[in-house]
Amino acid sequence: MSRVLVVGGTGLAGRAVTAEAIERGHDVVVAARRVPDDDADPYVPGASYVTADLVTGVGLEEAVDGVEVVIDTSNALGKQAANVFATGAQNLVHTAARFGVSRAVLLSIVGADRSAYGYYRAKVAQERAYLDSALDTCIVRATQFHDFVTAIIDRGRPFGAFLSPTRTKFQPIAVTDVARVLVDAGESMREGRAQPDTIIHIGGPRVESARALAEQRKRATGSRRFILPVRLGGPLGATWRAGRNLVPENAVDGVRYGAWLDSGA
């Protein structure tokens, strides 16, 4: 994988993938709606940046030109998710195929295919666009990032608390560990060591209750805020309570949540 395109390379996962691929000696092109300034977040030294819009298709031809493997870490929130994940994926895979790109790796979410949550349904539409395309694709479904779990816990700050979703467990994974798996998948696809159109699942090294994770967050911050149990409603809460966000049989040997917190992340 000498030349790789990281789509959404200015986001959390995209930056980690970009850094991992550059460290392995690959020529990395990052496609994003906004190109960062040099030496400023989210710029990664050694990467080339191009402006591209998945929904309109503007800039995609320049982005995919000469690329061997696409790693898609794109993200969107709210009403934009359906367009970016479905329409954007169609635009990207069709443009990539026209320019001779034959391999792709897509970052997705564990349990997305078993949830009525709108964001997850949009991710499944993105997955389908890749699997139905001319590109040989590997989809990597990951559990929740350490950063995401922390953001949930910290939503209690306005109430002087740490939130703890009731009857919920997480298998948090470090974004750097996810990046390693994504780049591994890209290299395996290029070298013919992986079957095309496969879906793999990965999760963090340990399944823990939301309460236990909130307690770790509290200890790491030294805060005196209390832990507030809350029941998350809607299809996302139902998905998590059912444990569809967990893959203990596919745990990676990576950074545990507590160690990540202790590192000052």
Side-chain angles (χ1 to χ4, degrees):
M1 189 174 54
S2 60
R3 187 171 177 85
V4 55
L5 171 66
V6 181
V7 180
T10 57
L12 179 65
R15 294 196 304 273
V17 169
T18 299
E20 177 73 18
I22 288 174
E23 185 175 346
R24 298 192 194 189
H26 298 300
D27 180 14
V28 179
V29 178
V30 172
R33 291 184 63 189
R34 297 178 182 84
V35 173
D37 295 330
D38 292 0
D39 301 322
D41 287 339
Y43 176 79
V44 178
S48 300
Y49 287 81
V50 297
T51 302
D53 189 306
L54 292 175
V55 177
T56 65
V58 174
L60 287 182
E61 292 187 348
E62 178 188 357
V64 301
D65 192 16
V67 166
E68 295 186 51
V69 179
V70 171
I71 300 181
D72 188 348
T73 65
S74 58
N75 193 23
L77 300 175
K79 296 180 179 179
Q80 293 183 342
N83 266 343
V84 172
F85 292 149
T87 304
Q90 291 282 358
N91 289 337
L92 177 58
V93 296
H94 290 162
T95 304
R98 284 196 294 110
F99 276 72
V101 181
S102 59
R103 302 172 183 88
V105 179
L106 172 66
L107 174 61
S108 192
I109 307 167
V110 166
D113 59 327
R114 296 184 295 159
S115 177
Y117 182 47
Y119 180 86
Y120 282 15
R121 293 172 64 183
K123 287 296 293 184
V124 172
Q126 184 188 37
E127 291 183 359
R128 180 48 53 193
Y130 273 88
L131 293 174
D132 289 345
S133 74
L135 278 61
D136 293 339
T137 298
C138 175
I139 295 173
V140 178
R141 290 178 179 163
T143 55
Q144 281 67 46
F145 297 163
H146 292 333
D147 312 73
F148 181 77
V149 172
T150 300
I152 294 172
I153 295 170
D154 285 352
R155 285 181 182 176
R157 185 183 298 274
F159 311 103
F162 293 103
L163 292 191
S164 171
T166 57
R167 296 174 53 201
T168 299
K169 294 180 179 180
F170 291 107
Q171 191 178 350
I173 188 168
V175 68
T176 51
D177 290 328
V178 175
R180 173 169 47 83
V181 174
L182 290 168
V183 178
D184 283 346
E187 291 178 342
S188 295
M189 294 286 289
R190 179 179 181 272
E191 296 166 7
R193 293 185 283 110
Q195 292 294 321
D197 299 335
T198 58
I199 299 176
I200 64 175
H201 298 79
I202 60 171
R206 178 186 290 180
V207 175
E208 300 187 78
S209 69
R211 175 81 188 197
L213 294 167
E215 289 172 347
Q216 292 175 59
R217 176 62 173 163
K218 180 176 180 177
R219 286 195 298 271
T221 60
S223 173
R224 306 179 84 176
R225 284 182 281 153
F226 68 100
I227 296 176
L228 176 64
V230 293
R231 184 184 187 278
L232 296 183
L236 181 59
T239 298
W240 289 350
R241 284 191 297 276
R244 299 190 188 109
N245 60 322
L246 308 174
V247 283
E249 68 281 8
N250 296 105
V252 301
D253 183 16
V255 181
R256 292 183 178 181
Y257 184 67
W260 179 79
L261 289 173
D262 291 341
S263 71

